[in-house]
Amino acid sequence: MAPAARDLLNRVQALAVQVEQAASLRALDLYGIPGEEIEMSPKFFTIVGSSPRQRMLVKQPAIVRKRPDGSVGDVVAKGIVE
């Protein structure tokens, strides 16, 4: 089973590299890290759970398009905070 597991991990790693390359070519990036406490912004996040607060925990990062200068541009898909 070890060779099959190793093969699976190699394929997953190759797929992750390909996804990162595709995102880079399209100037896409993630905004927020799961578990990170972040200042709530309705532009980037949808709230689940309790009432909104100034700082909330990221459950799913937002997908954003980066501008040529590297700053955050448009939101492609909102993330989720709790």
Side-chain angles (χ1 to χ4, degrees):
M1 290 205 52
R6 219 174 290 119
D7 183 50
L8 175 63
L9 290 175
N10 289 338
R11 289 177 187 224
V12 168
Q13 185 177 14
L15 180 61
V17 168
Q18 291 173 346
V19 168
E20 287 179 11
Q21 289 173 343
S24 177
L25 289 172
R26 289 163 179 79
L28 297 176
D29 202 1
L30 296 177
Y31 182 78
I33 300 170
E36 174 186 30
E37 188 174 314
I38 195 167
E39 190 169 320
M40 172 51 193
S41 172
K43 174 182 176 182
F44 298 107
F45 297 102
T46 300
I47 300 169
V48 296
S50 61
S51 61
R53 301 181 312 273
Q54 179 112 16
R55 296 191 61 81
M56 300 187 81
L57 289 178
V58 175
K59 294 296 179 184
Q60 177 180 319
I63 300 171
V64 296
R65 188 166 312 277
K66 294 189 320 188
R67 294 184 179 132
D69 66 356
S71 64
V72 176
D74 298 328
V75 177
V76 176
K78 283 187 173 188
I80 298 173
V81 291
E82 182 176 56

